[in-house]
Amino acid sequence: MKSRVRKAIFPVGGLGTRFLPATKAMPKEMLPIVDKPLIQYAVEEAWDAGIEQCIFITGRGKAAIEDHFDYSYELQHTLTARHKVEQLASCQQSIPHAGSFAFVRQQDPLGLGHAIWCARHLIGDEPFAVILADDVVMNPGGASCMKQMVAAYENYAGSLVASVLVDQNATSSYGILDVESEGEVLKARHVVEKPSPEDAPSRWAVIGRYILEPAIFDPLDRAVHHAQTTQGEIQLTDAIAALLPETPLYGIKFDGVRYDCGSKVGFLQANIAFALERPELAEPLKTFLKTLDL
Ligand code: G1P
């Protein structure tokens, strides 16, 4: 019987240079959408999908992420004394079960593939999820993106990636699927990392949600070994491609809207979209937006 997806990796070692100076002393994953940091959306999505163990691949300067998922005794004490029940609840919402979070340092920024490889001993021999906090998916009232992927994994064994159609001129920012057949899911014969628009095999882009088999650590091992001599970046996309065709690759066309919160425009769009979903913010925000001479 196929193993359940119980573990998720959150690569959070990136520098976040696109959000400088905000990210000079603060991890980019702590940037808020309305009032919740990006990384908390990612973790809540994992929990919603039944993930029990969260593995963060961190780097220097990322301690705020660990602190965010821990008690803040002074704050909780003060909120309790002042009977701030709602605020207290919102602080406690992000506390995981003891022992269910692990933090691994990626000493060198050698790419997404290397970040995943850093978790190899904690993953062991079972399938696992990868969630990139930069990509936020909103699906009001419906299943989260990862929950939809975990459900799809019951029917499609192999590598699963969440996919969206992007503009032709945006292919150079994504892993792009070479689609063999398109039905309920996309079956891919190949995947290429950031091809130029002229070379892109399709407009189906990989966004930051993956379910991978432990076999992925074989090509990653080889790439890490090779990179020791070349100092090149290790791409997760290349490792997924190296497993083909034995481990098939499926693109999941999920329900929901994805915001690229690694870009300023995407981040602003997400803030507006999520605020409009909040009853107490929607009306004042709409009133303000109408005053803008757009
Ligand atoms: C990474 C992956 C890329 C994927 C993207 C999704 O790129 O390498 O294949 O399409 O995430 O967000 P990055 O955005 O880290 O450059």
Side-chain angles (χ1 to χ4, degrees):
M1 211 183 93
K2 203 161 28 160
S3 307
R4 225 158 46 77
V5 184
R6 299 184 311 132
K7 301 179 181 178
I9 302 178
F10 301 83
V12 293
L15 290 178
T17 48
R18 278 191 271 179
F19 281 91
L20 283 169
T23 49
K24 192 176 163 202
M26 180 184 78
K28 66 170 174 168
E29 295 79 11
M30 291 302 295
L31 290 169
I33 303 294
V34 185
D35 51 11
K36 203 174 8 178
L38 287 169
I39 190 63
Q40 192 175 334
Y41 285 92
V43 165
E44 288 178 0
E45 183 175 333
W47 283 342
D48 178 61
I51 301 285
E52 294 159 10
Q53 295 178 31
C54 297
I55 301 164
F56 299 81
I57 312 301
T58 72
R60 288 172 289 280
K62 298 284 180 164
I65 296 177
E66 285 187 56
D67 291 342
H68 181 72
F69 292 106
D70 198 353
Y71 293 121
S72 171
Y73 282 110
E74 299 83 347
L75 183 61
Q76 287 171 229
H77 177 80
T78 309
L79 292 174
T80 308
R82 292 183 186 166
H83 307 292
K84 303 271 188 192
V85 182
E86 268 179 45
Q87 286 96 328
L88 186 63
S90 80
C91 286
Q92 281 164 338
Q93 203 187 337
S94 58
I95 307 289
H97 289 302
S100 65
F101 276 24
F103 296 85
V104 177
R105 282 278 187 130
Q106 181 190 23
Q107 288 91 348
D108 297 309
L110 292 178
L112 180 58
H114 181 259
I116 303 306
W117 177 82
C118 287
R120 65 201 179 284
H121 298 303
L122 295 175
I123 294 294
D125 193 24
E126 54 182 288
F128 61 96
V130 175
I131 300 185
L132 306 186
D134 277 0
D135 280 319
V136 174
V137 181
M138 181 197 239
N139 189 24
S144 69
C145 181
M146 185 47 75
K147 191 171 187 173
Q148 295 174 54
M149 291 183 70
V150 167
Y153 185 67
E154 305 215 334
N155 301 323
Y156 300 94
S159 305
L160 267 59
V161 293
S163 290
V164 295
L165 269 178
V166 295
D167 291 339
Q168 191 76 39
N169 60 14
T171 58
S172 55
S173 300
Y174 298 95
I176 298 289
L177 299 177
D178 183 353
V179 177
E180 183 181 317
S181 63
E182 185 180 340
E184 179 198 19
V185 301
L186 306 158
K187 185 161 194 308
R189 61 168 79 82
H190 193 41
V191 59
V192 217
E193 181 68 0
K194 301 180 178 160
S196 64
E198 308 80 65
D199 297 332
S202 79
R203 293 196 294 118
W204 282 106
V206 175
I207 66 147
R209 300 288 182 282
Y210 305 75
I211 293 180
L212 300 170
E213 306 264 350
I216 198 77
F217 291 115
D218 297 336
L220 286 177
D221 264 334
R222 288 196 295 274
V224 170
H225 196 70
H226 182 67
Q228 278 161 358
T229 46
T230 60
Q231 287 299 307
E233 272 213 354
I234 296 159
Q235 300 300 346
L236 183 58
T237 303
D238 295 342
I240 293 171
L243 288 184
L244 288 163
E246 287 76 20
T247 304
L249 170 59
Y250 299 101
I252 307 302
K253 299 181 281 184
F254 56 93
D255 291 330
V257 183
R258 169 259 181 182
Y259 296 95
D260 173 12
C261 294
S263 82
K264 285 175 199 168
V265 170
F267 176 73
L268 293 170
Q269 288 169 342
N271 265 289
I272 293 169
F274 277 76
L276 289 173
E277 286 296 317
R278 297 265 290 262
E280 77 282 16
L281 299 177
E283 283 315 314
L285 183 57
K286 277 186 206 163
T287 307
F288 166 69
L289 290 173
K290 279 183 204 147
T291 66
L292 299 178
D293 192 17
L294 299 174

